[in-house]
């Protein structure tokens, strides 16, 4: 039984007891229509009157229809016409919009203003003995309690009918089955209450359990912190973008201090909730000091954010669900928090995968879409399974992990699937330049729509903004991902990307933004004829033949045409041979477009003799003046220490050593699973030959002076962007002198344990210098040391050297590259 003297609602300027809450609900109920078939719309921003109006509908056994307070008159008219409500509770702030909607819908309806009743005198109002949420305690009550209109991420909203039984399944699971909601924990009302997640999680459940609520007056940082303090809040519900903003802000301050960085790293490795809460106690104090749980819902929370908040001592319970499930399908339990995982299903809910799509059945399912039986049948099959449209995995314990959204996945012509939200999160980490980003498919390539940060972009043109984004965001991002995930072009958008109130991106509206820009760009192309000077035409012809794409004068060589490091080397060589001048691979992205590059070449050329790149001639040219790194005893000694460590700690197994040539040049091509793949590749090689093996590493791996010195003494040839051609020639020199090269063809570590398309540098070297390729398959290193982990796990690792692949004159570079990848993947699959 709830203590009526206890505080039920904390607002900015006063508190409301449970006794007053019941009185005001009864007062509102005298205006609200009565009866199980009556429907009442609530159209208001979050406020205490919202709660009174809502529960007055339930007290009168009616159906509540919450509507987004930011809706336009057209949006509201659509709902009025669809559900034909009997009355509307509206705030003074939204009353004008409602009146316009009523005119547009051409209906008559009773309208009551929250401001007129929210603070009326209660002198003669008795305290009701009937709790307005009493129906939640009734067994199997199938009466419709709510009609929630979907947020419209894919088109016209539909009214989701939710019964008291569906709501009860949710409330009881997080209160009795797992005691997250109790009479001791107050919940922050932050997100708009028209959505089922905050409605259930920050209004219905906490008031039903007696814990109470604290209403935040806005989404601003100061208001949130003030309400957390004043309300002594124990549970805070937010969406991923809110948690991302919070974490990024805290992490920036941590990164400013060496000591704080070290403490953060310590807590990340220790994975101790107690230690984290002691070390970062100030974070929790600033958030009121009473916060037990952060709840994330509405969309998948990025694993890095979840890990980071957990390291700070903030437990993030991830919920996964839909409006159609009122809303929970699964949630993480306290003590079993795995960032990126949505946890176990709601008690009583069954889950299964059908072609990777998650399907659910249980007491939490909606009754259907209001007046839309055909659309209901499209999502709930004849056996009662709801098809969520979400891709997921289910582990051996039953935990659910989302992997994507069926309708959002971009499928490229090469069969590769791209999850746009994964890329968007990575781009938004460059938050000094990027405010928000969206990824769209543009033909057979990926394109980024980027809203720039206004503080630096306001005085720049779109072209200037795009150029800097390409140089300082896209180029850096593209260096870290597989070829098919690279962003080939960017659209600067000065507005706000279309989102729902819970910050879900409305992807179906992105096409219109892209179409508008394409129309503008097409007109610009029509108005400005393509250049016809000879240098441009020769460059255009060469790039088109090399890349198999159409080239326009305004294209950027990297982000529009996708020239990778090897393409730039061939273009550099073509320019030198054809025009007698030099443009380094590092300089190429600095030119605004192909035309600008061509005009530079035209002004600097000493000749003009068109010819194609001859890789054989390039790789067999003079290399006498190119210095190579060296390796001494320490290099071999450390390599052996690693080998014995792997044998003891990871039960390292080495196979196929008979396939390593006893003498002569060769190329070892391992797949790339972890940071320790270099030492693993060396583990099976004879001691007396270790000095013969040279690694090829990107510049990003040796940024510090210390690492550069270590690389120079460890047989590491650095791929320098400023002189890619010389880097390639150094590899050629190693092989021509009879030594050996270790190249990781993927260029970056795997994200999932599998492989990504191999780059062809090693194949060009092998074919033109006629040296064999030894594929090397590394298995288990991803499980032992996955991305983001700084602690090696004692997982079994296996290194297998595979039979040599000898290049033939008939094979193309691409065929040789694919043959090597196929050999490794065949072993990985077993």
């Amino acid at each position: 039984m709830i203590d009526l003297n206890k505080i039920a609602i904390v607002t900015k300027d006063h508190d409301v007891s449970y006794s007053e809450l019941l009185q005001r609900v009864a007062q509102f109920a005298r205006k609200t229509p009565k009866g199980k078939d009556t429907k009442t719309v609530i159209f208001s921003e979050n406020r205490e009157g919202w709660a009174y109006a809502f529960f007055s509908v339930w007290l009168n056994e009616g159906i509540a229809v919450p509507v987004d307070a930011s809706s336009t008159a057209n949006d509201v008219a659509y709902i009025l016409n669809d559900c034909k409500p009997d009355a509307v509770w509206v705030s003074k702030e939204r009353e004008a919009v409602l009146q316009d909607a009523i005119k547009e819908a051409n209906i008559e309806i009773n309208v009551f203003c929250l401001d007129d009743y929210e603070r009326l005198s209660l002198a003669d109002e008795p305290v009701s003995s009937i709790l307005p949420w009493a129906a939640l305690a009734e067994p199997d009550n199938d009466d419709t309690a709510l009609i929630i209109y979907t947020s419209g991420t894919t088109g016209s909203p539909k009214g989701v009918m939710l019964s008291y039984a569906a709501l009860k399944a949710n409330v009881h699971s997080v209160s009795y089955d797992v005691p997250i909601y109790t009479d001791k924990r107050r919940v922050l009302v932050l997100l708009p209450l028209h959505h089922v997640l905050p409605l259930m999680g920050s209004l219905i459940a906490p008031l039903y359990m007696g814990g109470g609520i604290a209403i935040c007056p806005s989404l601003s940082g100061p208001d949130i912190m003030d309400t957390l303090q004043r309300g002594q809040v124990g549970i805070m519900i937010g969406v991923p973008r809110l948690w991302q903003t919070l974490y990024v802000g805290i992490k920036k301050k941590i990164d400013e201090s060496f000591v704080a960085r070290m403490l953060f790293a310590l807590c990340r490795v220790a994975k101790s909730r107690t230690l984290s809460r002691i070390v970062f106690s100030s974070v929790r104090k600033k958030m009121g000091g009473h916060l037990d749980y952060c709840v994330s819902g509405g969309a998948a929370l990025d694993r890095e954010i979840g890990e980071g908040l957990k390291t700070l001592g903030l437990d993030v319970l991830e919920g996964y669900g839909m409006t159609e499930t009122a809303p929970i399908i699964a949630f993480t339990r306290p003590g079993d928090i795995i960032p990126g995982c949505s946890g176990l299903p709601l008690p009583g809910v069954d889950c299964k995968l059908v072609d990777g799509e998650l399907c659910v059945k249980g007491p939490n399912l909606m009754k259907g879409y209001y007046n839309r039986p055909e659309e209901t049948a499209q999502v709930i099959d004849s056996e009662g399974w709801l098809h969520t449209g979400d891709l997921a995995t289910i582990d051996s314990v039953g935990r659910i992990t989302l992997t994507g959204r069926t309708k959002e996945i971009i499928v490229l012509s090469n069969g590769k699937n791209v999850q746009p939200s994964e890329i968007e999160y990575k781009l938004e980490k460059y938050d000094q330049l990027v405010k928000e980003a969206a990824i769209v498919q543009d033909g057979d390539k990926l394109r980024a729509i980027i809203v720039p940060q206004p503080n630096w972009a306001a005085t720049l043109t779109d072209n200037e903004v795009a150029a800097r984004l390409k140089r300082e965001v896209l180029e850096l991002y593209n260096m870290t991902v597989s070829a098919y995930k690279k962003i080939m072009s960017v659209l600067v958008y000065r507005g706000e990307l279309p989102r729902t109130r819970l910050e879900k991106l409305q992807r179906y509206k992105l096409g219109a933004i892209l179409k508008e820009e394409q129309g503008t760009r097409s007109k610009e192309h029509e108005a400005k004829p393509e250049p016809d000077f000879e240098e441009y035409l020769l460059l255009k012809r060469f790039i088109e033949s090399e890349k198999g794409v159409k080239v326009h004068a305004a294209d950027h060589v990297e982000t529009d045409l996708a020239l990778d490091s090897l393409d730039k080397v061939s273009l550099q060589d073509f320019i030198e041979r054809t025009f007698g001048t030099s443009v380094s691979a590092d300089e190429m992205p600095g030119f605004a477009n192909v035309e600008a590059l061509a005009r530079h070449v035209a002004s600097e050329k000493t000749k003009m003799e068109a010819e194609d790149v001859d890789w054989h001639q390039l790789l067999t040219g003079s290399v006498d003046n190119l210095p190579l790194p060296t390796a001494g005893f320490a290099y071999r000694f450390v390599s052996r220490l690693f080998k014995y460590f792997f044998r003891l700690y990871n039960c390292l197994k080495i196979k196929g050593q008979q396939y390593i040539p006893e003498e002569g040049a060769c190329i070892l091509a391992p797949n790339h699973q972890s940071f320790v793949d270099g030492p693993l590749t060396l583990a099976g090689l004879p001691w007396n030959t270790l000095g013969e093996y040279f690694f090829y590493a990107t510049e990003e791996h040796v940024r510090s002076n210390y690492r550069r010195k270590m690389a120079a003494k460890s047989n590491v040839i650095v791929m320098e962007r400023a002189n890619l051609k010389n880097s390639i020639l150094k590899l050629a020199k190693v092989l021509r002198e009879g030594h050996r090269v270790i190249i990781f063809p993927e260029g970056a570590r795997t994200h999932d344990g599998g492989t990504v398309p191999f780059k062809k540098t090693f194949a060009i070297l092998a074919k033109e210098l006629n040296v064999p390729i030894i594929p090397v398959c590394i298995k288990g290193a991803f499980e032992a040391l996955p991305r983001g982990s700084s602690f090696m796990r004692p997982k079994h690792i296996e290194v297998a050297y595979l039979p040599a692949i000898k290049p033939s004159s008939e094979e193309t570079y691409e065929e040789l590259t694919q043959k090597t990848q196929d050999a490794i993947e065949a072993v990985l699959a077993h």
Side-chain angles (χ1 to χ4, degrees):
M1 184 64 184
I2 294 174
D3 178 1
L4 295 182
N5 293 318
K6 188 176 181 181
I7 299 300
I9 302 174
V10 175
T11 73
K12 187 173 184 178
D13 52 17
H14 73 290
D15 297 339
V16 177
S17 68
Y18 267 93
S19 175
E20 182 181 344
L21 169 64
L22 297 180
Q23 288 177 296
R24 295 207 176 276
V25 168
Q27 197 176 61
F28 271 58
R30 284 197 284 274
K31 294 294 181 182
T32 301
K34 294 180 175 61
K36 292 186 177 181
D37 294 327
T38 60
K39 295 182 286 293
T40 302
V41 164
I42 305 168
F43 182 42
S44 166
E45 66 284 357
N46 289 357
R47 57 193 292 171
E48 60 183 289
W50 205 107
Y52 306 150
F54 176 81
F55 285 119
S56 75
V57 179
W58 278 11
L59 189 63
N60 286 351
E61 300 184 324
I63 301 169
V65 186
V67 173
D68 185 354
S70 67
S71 298
T72 64
N74 181 260
D75 295 332
V76 178
Y78 171 87
I79 294 174
L80 296 179
N81 272 320
D82 192 65
C83 72
K84 302 292 190 296
D86 300 279
V88 179
W89 281 102
V90 65
S91 67
K92 183 68 73 177
E93 185 178 325
R94 306 305 296 158
E95 194 168 18
V97 175
L98 175 65
Q99 292 302 333
D100 289 342
I102 291 172
K103 289 178 184 176
E104 185 175 333
N106 194 26
I107 61 172
E108 293 185 4
I109 192 169
N110 291 317
V111 176
F112 307 107
C113 183
L114 294 174
D115 301 69
D116 295 338
Y117 297 89
E118 196 173 53
R119 298 291 177 86
L120 278 181
S121 171
L122 294 172
D124 301 321
E125 190 68 50
V127 178
S128 173
S129 60
I130 302 174
L131 296 175
W133 45 78
L136 289 177
E138 298 174 12
D140 304 321
N141 186 338
D142 197 45
D143 289 342
T144 301
L146 293 169
I147 296 178
I148 299 276
Y149 278 82
T150 56
S151 53
T153 58
T154 57
S156 298
K158 298 181 289 289
V160 178
M161 297 184 292
L162 299 174
S163 67
Y164 286 102
L167 302 179
K168 176 184 177 181
N170 277 266
V171 173
H172 278 234
S173 69
V174 294
S175 304
Y176 296 105
D177 296 321
V178 182
I180 297 168
Y181 287 83
T182 71
D183 61 353
K184 301 293 191 297
R185 292 193 181 110
R186 189 172 289 135
V187 180
L188 183 71
V189 179
L190 180 65
L191 303 177
L193 290 170
H194 74 278
H195 193 283
V196 69
L197 168 65
L199 176 57
M200 282 293 297
S202 60
L203 183 72
I204 296 172
L207 289 177
Y208 176 82
M209 290 302 299
I213 63 176
I215 301 175
C216 190
S218 78
L219 289 172
S220 72
D223 275 342
I224 292 174
M225 292 302 175
D226 178 63
T227 309
L228 288 171
Q229 291 277 0
R230 192 163 31 82
Q232 299 182 359
V233 170
I235 300 174
M236 177 179 172
I237 300 175
V239 292
R241 286 178 70 85
L242 174 67
W243 300 121
Q244 178 180 334
T245 301
L246 174 68
Y247 173 68
V248 169
I250 295 173
K251 189 64 166 60
K252 276 185 177 179
K253 292 183 179 179
I254 289 173
D255 289 342
E256 291 171 359
S257 164
F258 174 78
V259 174
R261 289 199 306 273
M262 293 301 100
L263 289 173
F264 185 85
L266 172 65
C267 290
R268 184 183 285 275
V269 173
K271 297 184 184 299
S272 166
R273 183 174 186 261
T274 302
L275 177 63
S276 291
R277 289 202 162 191
I278 292 172
V279 171
F280 295 106
S281 59
S282 60
V283 174
R284 198 159 173 263
K285 283 181 181 177
K286 287 179 181 177
M287 300 182 75
H290 294 80
L291 193 62
D292 290 321
Y293 297 116
C294 304
V295 177
S296 181
L301 180 68
D302 187 88
R303 189 186 301 270
E304 181 183 337
I305 302 300
E307 288 278 10
L309 290 172
K310 187 177 180 181
T311 301
L312 294 172
L314 297 174
D315 289 342
V316 183
L317 304 181
E318 292 188 55
Y320 159 62
M322 311 168 63
T323 304
E324 290 83 347
T325 56
I328 304 174
I329 292 174
F331 65 98
T332 52
R333 274 52 167 180
D336 187 34
I337 298 173
I338 304 174
C341 173
S342 298
L344 293 167
L346 202 72
V349 172
D350 296 321
C351 297
K352 68 177 182 179
L353 298 176
V354 179
D355 296 328
E357 180 187 9
L358 185 67
C359 299
V360 301
K361 181 196 286 189
N364 59 331
L365 263 59
M366 67 173 178
K367 296 174 67 174
Y369 296 122
Y370 183 73
N371 280 344
R372 298 195 185 191
E374 292 182 0
E375 293 186 46
T376 301
Q378 290 175 5
V379 296
I380 300 180
D381 62 28
S382 58
E383 297 180 355
W385 289 95
L386 172 71
H387 293 250
T388 65
D390 289 308
L391 299 172
T393 60
I394 302 176
D395 69 13
S396 58
V397 179
R399 301 186 194 93
I400 294 170
T401 299
L402 299 183
T403 59
R405 181 102 181 123
T406 57
K407 293 179 180 178
E408 291 182 0
I409 286 181
I410 295 172
V411 182
L412 302 174
S413 64
N414 60 7
K416 296 291 186 181
N417 292 339
V418 176
Q419 186 59 243
S421 58
E422 171 194 332
I423 299 175
E424 288 156 3
Y425 170 70
K426 290 180 179 179
L427 295 182
E428 288 174 359
K429 289 176 74 173
Y430 297 93
D431 58 347
Q432 289 186 329
L433 302 181
V434 179
K435 183 179 180 184
E436 53 181 336
I439 299 301
V440 294
Q441 186 173 7
D442 187 8
D444 197 37
K445 62 184 181 182
L446 299 179
R447 191 169 197 191
I449 301 174
I450 294 182
V451 178
Q453 291 287 9
N455 58 344
W456 72 272
T459 59
L460 303 176
T461 67
D462 284 357
N463 287 337
E464 290 171 333
V465 171
R468 188 170 173 190
L469 288 173
K470 288 174 181 179
R471 186 173 63 252
E472 299 183 28
V473 177
L474 298 190
E475 182 180 347
L476 298 178
Y477 160 79
N478 284 343
M479 290 169 60
T480 67
V481 297
S482 308
Y484 72 94
K485 289 185 179 180
K486 290 186 176 182
I487 307 301
M488 296 299 105
S489 62
V490 62
L491 162 60
V492 175
Y493 185 61
R494 300 281 185 166
E496 296 285 337
L497 293 180
R499 295 183 183 276
T500 68
R501 289 292 298 281
L502 288 195
E503 294 295 327
K504 288 184 180 179
L505 194 59
Q506 294 177 304
R507 296 190 183 277
Y508 74 99
K509 293 182 178 180
L510 297 177
I513 296 174
L514 195 62
K515 188 175 181 180
E516 180 182 352
E517 187 274 342
Q518 286 173 331
T520 303
R521 190 175 182 185
S522 177
K523 290 177 182 178
E524 290 175 353
H525 277 306
E526 291 174 7
K528 183 180 180 182
E530 279 276 288
D532 59 0
F533 60 97
E534 192 67 19
E535 293 82 1
Y536 169 75
L537 295 175
L538 286 171
L539 282 177
K540 176 179 179 177
R541 188 192 71 181
F542 174 77
I543 297 171
E544 287 182 340
S545 66
E546 286 285 302
K547 296 297 293 182
V549 296
K550 187 70 175 175
V551 174
H552 295 285
D555 289 336
H556 188 269
V557 295
E558 191 166 73
T559 53
D560 291 321
L561 300 175
L563 267 63
D564 60 21
S565 58
L566 198 62
D567 295 325
K568 292 173 193 171
V569 170
S570 65
L571 181 56
Q572 177 183 348
D573 189 65
F574 173 78
I575 291 172
E576 289 175 1
R577 292 175 181 275
T578 305
F579 303 106
T581 188
S582 179
V583 179
S584 73
D586 190 46
E587 291 174 313
M588 289 178 188
F591 291 96
N593 48 48
V594 176
E595 181 180 358
L597 174 61
R599 293 196 182 280
H600 171 79
V601 168
S603 66
E604 299 292 327
K605 73 178 189 295
T606 59
K607 66 174 183 175
M608 194 156 65
E609 301 171 2
E611 55 181 272
D612 293 330
V613 172
D614 185 336
W615 278 108
H616 182 76
Q617 184 175 350
L618 176 65
L619 295 177
T620 56
S622 175
V623 293
D624 295 337
N625 62 336
L626 296 177
L628 294 178
T630 58
F633 175 80
Y635 168 72
R636 297 195 296 273
F637 179 70
V638 171
S639 298
R640 278 299 173 262
L641 285 181
F642 270 112
K643 175 181 178 178
Y644 296 127
F645 169 79
F646 295 141
R647 282 195 182 280
L648 292 171
Y649 189 73
N650 299 100
C651 299
L652 173 65
K653 184 177 182 180
I654 301 173
K655 300 191 300 185
Q657 289 162 293
Q658 69 273 21
Y659 296 122
I660 302 171
E662 292 184 5
E663 59 182 23
C666 67
I667 297 173
L668 269 61
N671 58 310
H672 206 355
Q673 291 207 329
S674 74
F675 269 136
V676 294
D677 290 342
L680 284 171
T681 304
L682 294 175
L685 306 179
W687 165 269
N688 62 337
T689 66
L690 288 177
E692 295 293 308
Y693 290 88
F694 289 75
F695 285 94
Y696 190 44
T698 61
E699 207 169 21
E700 283 64 36
H701 288 109
V702 290
R703 284 176 177 167
S704 67
N705 289 332
Y706 172 75
R707 288 187 177 184
R708 282 189 172 275
K709 290 179 181 178
M710 288 298 296
K713 296 179 180 179
S714 303
N715 275 13
V716 176
I717 295 173
V718 179
M719 185 186 78
E720 298 176 353
R721 288 203 304 270
N723 205 335
L724 284 169
K725 183 178 176 181
N726 276 359
S727 301
I728 298 290
L729 287 176
K730 285 181 182 180
L731 294 175
K733 181 176 182 178
V734 168
L735 295 170
R736 285 163 58 181
E737 292 180 355
H739 305 304
R740 298 158 181 219
V741 170
I742 298 173
I743 299 179
F744 293 95
E746 292 167 280
R749 288 171 295 144
T750 178
H751 285 267
D752 58 9
T755 64
V756 297
F758 282 15
K759 295 176 171 58
K760 61 185 179 182
T761 307
F762 76 101
I764 293 174
L765 288 165
K767 181 177 179 179
E768 299 305 336
L769 299 177
N770 193 29
V771 297
I773 300 167
I774 312 298
V776 183
C777 180
I778 300 174
K779 293 175 68 174
F782 175 75
E783 289 74 19
L785 189 62
R787 276 178 173 267
S789 176
S790 55
F791 181 75
M792 191 137 180
R793 302 166 187 171
K795 301 287 186 178
H796 172 64
I797 297 176
E798 184 177 290
V799 175
Y801 303 93
L802 307 181
I805 296 175
K806 297 181 180 179
S808 68
S809 58
E810 294 79 19
E811 282 180 309
T812 65
Y813 305 138
E814 289 75 18
E815 289 170 342
L816 194 55
T817 301
Q818 192 59 53
K819 184 185 289 188
T820 306
Q821 183 165 0
D822 290 344
I824 292 174
E825 288 182 343
V827 179
L828 276 177
H830 292 88

